[in-house]
Amino acid sequence: SLPAASGLAEMGAHWIHGPSPGNPVFCLASRYGLLGPEAAREENQQVEAGGHPPLPSVTYGSSGKGLSPQAVREARDLFYALLASTRAFQGSTEPPWPSVGQYVRAEIARTVPTMAGGQEDARRLQLAVLAACLKLECCISGTHSMDLVALEPFGEYVSLPGLDCTFPGGYSSLAERLLSDLPEGTVLLNKAVRTIQWQGSFREEGDDARVFPVRVECEDGDVFLADHVIVTVPLGFLKERHQEFFQPPLPERKAQAIRHLGFGTNNKIFLEFEQPFWEPQQQLLEVVWEDESPLEEPSADLEANWFKKLIGFVVLQPPEQHGHVLCGFIAGKESEHMETLSDAEVLGAMTRVLRTVTGS
């Protein structure tokens, strides 16, 4: 049996990204004393990581060996320079391409032939690493393809400074602290809402009755009158139900935003090992399929190739707390296909990937 580690694996939210004074989650976590001593250090809050924290990493290729760190770094530097250059199109009425993916691919096609000293092998490797960078960006943007992410507003996404950190007691420790500050009975569970009537005049019962603009009716018949309601239901629910959920229906501008907004699927895969096959200092194991290129169409056969969308694995830190656990990330249609498979099928595919890339 596996050694029992004491720790938690965060199935959902994991890190505080950009833990610095501009980040409200970090400020709350600091105020409640929920962070480890390392995370709260002043100098950690000033690190400009650009949203891509510099984890000590190793990059495996599908030929079964580690790839040259220098070649990987060169390709990655080019990719991040291209991403940074998208900021120039913010507010532009005529961006050169509609999507981030099309722009980046056009720029790669323009620049890669002149890179890698003109050697074909080096050029193939650069293209393969760039394809892997695009997959990682799909995870970060929560999309199937960067072709679905508009170029013009992409630069609005700003990364706060600070070295990403985690909650030693799990992310839920923050919600528990916030809840404990509220008066008893404030939060009602199992209270599904049927409709929100707004723009009305609803009178309380009693002599000194007030009039409220909003009436919230629950499935069990309970009614709440309010001055304001903040609705935080998922976008998927709004897409299906917004017309009957709000009385009167929302203005067309809002309805159109609900229809046009998209969201993607992002999944984690946790693998626990009796013994690590990676070096103690490695925190990120990246996977590059050496025959791939961002300039070629990926295979549409999800069943045969879904696992190639995997970007690699983060090593959960510290091992004393978690045991030897890898957390893989995969986004998009491949990620949705994975949800239809059994745990045994996913495990089989991951084992094949790891045997292929490590040659072990």
Side-chain angles (χ1 to χ4, degrees), residues 201-272:
S201 300
F202 304 101
R203 191 171 290 281
E204 273 182 323
E205 290 168 13
D207 297 338
D208 51 355
R210 275 186 59 202
V211 172
F212 292 89
V214 183
R215 179 176 184 271
V216 177
E217 190 183 327
C218 297
E219 296 283 4
D220 62 8
D222 280 3
V223 166
F224 298 88
L225 302 184
D227 291 307
H228 302 277
V229 171
I230 298 172
V231 181
T232 61
V233 299
L235 180 58
F237 175 88
L238 288 176
K239 281 183 182 294
E240 282 180 12
R241 301 272 305 276
H242 73 89
Q243 272 162 312
E244 62 268 26
F245 193 62
F246 296 97
Q247 303 285 336
L250 294 175
E252 179 50 28
R253 191 171 59 90
K254 296 253 192 232
Q256 192 176 352
I258 290 169
R259 285 195 298 272
H260 286 184
L261 268 173
F263 57 94
T265 304
N266 219 342
N267 267 315
K268 294 180 177 178
I269 306 168
F270 294 96
L271 302 175
E272 187 173 14

Side-chain angles (χ1 to χ4, degrees), residues 269-316:
I269 306 168
F270 294 96
L271 302 175
E272 187 173 14
F273 294 82
E274 288 182 35
Q275 293 301 323
F277 63 82
W278 55 92
E279 303 296 320
Q281 74 277 11
Q282 290 166 352
Q283 293 182 35
L284 177 64
L285 316 178
E286 293 184 296
V287 174
V288 170
W289 298 89
E290 291 167 74
D291 57 348
E292 289 189 347
S293 159
L295 308 179
E296 292 162 22
E297 279 299 305
S299 159
D301 186 350
L302 287 183
E303 202 151 334
N305 293 305
W306 68 269
F307 51 83
K308 291 187 177 179
K309 190 70 165 279
L310 180 87
I311 58 146
F313 300 90
V314 170
V315 181
L316 293 196

Side-chain angles (χ1 to χ4, degrees), residues 163-181:
L163 278 180
D164 291 1
C165 65
T166 58
F167 290 88
Y171 231 102
S172 56
S173 58
L174 178 60
E176 283 154 14
R177 278 305 302 262
L178 289 168
L179 273 177
S180 68
D181 283 354

Side-chain angles (χ1 to χ4, degrees), residues 304-345:
N305 293 305
W306 68 269
F307 51 83
K308 291 187 177 179
K309 190 70 165 279
L310 180 87
I311 58 146
F313 300 90
V314 170
V315 181
L316 293 196
Q317 300 287 341
E320 306 80 64
Q321 183 186 336
H322 293 288
H324 307 300
V325 178
L326 298 182
C327 174
F329 290 88
I330 184 170
K333 289 178 184 165
E334 293 83 356
S335 168
E336 290 175 31
H337 176 75
M338 184 189 77
E339 292 181 5
T340 68
L341 305 176
S342 68
D343 283 2
E345 288 170 307

Side-chain angles (χ1 to χ4, degrees), residues 77-224:
D77 287 350
L78 167 67
F79 184 77
Y80 289 136
L82 290 179
L83 274 195
S85 70
T86 61
R87 294 200 183 279
F89 307 117
Q90 212 178 317
S92 155
T93 49
E94 287 185 21
W97 295 94
S99 72
V100 175
Q102 288 160 293
Y103 168 73
V104 167
R105 285 206 310 275
E107 289 297 300
I108 288 171
R110 203 168 60 84
T111 49
V112 165
T114 62
M115 290 173 58
Q119 292 169 319
E120 184 56 29
D121 287 357
R123 192 173 147 270
R124 291 284 328 159
L125 179 57
Q126 296 238 283
L127 288 169
V129 174
L130 288 163
C133 290
L134 272 167
K135 290 177 199 175
L136 173 57
E137 203 53 42
C138 286
C139 285
I140 291 168
S141 287
T143 182
H144 170 62
S145 161
M146 292 308 289
D147 292 7
L148 300 170
V149 178
L151 177 60
E152 182 274 315
F154 186 64
E156 292 174 16
Y157 189 112
V158 178
S159 298
L160 296 169
L163 278 180
D164 291 1
C165 65
T166 58
F167 290 88
Y171 231 102
S172 56
S173 58
L174 178 60
E176 283 154 14
R177 278 305 302 262
L178 289 168
L179 273 177
S180 68
D181 283 354
L182 296 172
E184 192 72 26
T186 305
V187 175
L188 306 178
L189 302 174
N190 299 315
K191 270 277 182 233
V193 171
R194 183 182 294 145
T195 42
I196 298 172
Q197 297 169 310
W198 59 295
Q199 290 188 327
S201 300
F202 304 101
R203 191 171 290 281
E204 273 182 323
E205 290 168 13
D207 297 338
D208 51 355
R210 275 186 59 202
V211 172
F212 292 89
V214 183
R215 179 176 184 271
V216 177
E217 190 183 327
C218 297
E219 296 283 4
D220 62 8
D222 280 3
V223 166
F224 298 88

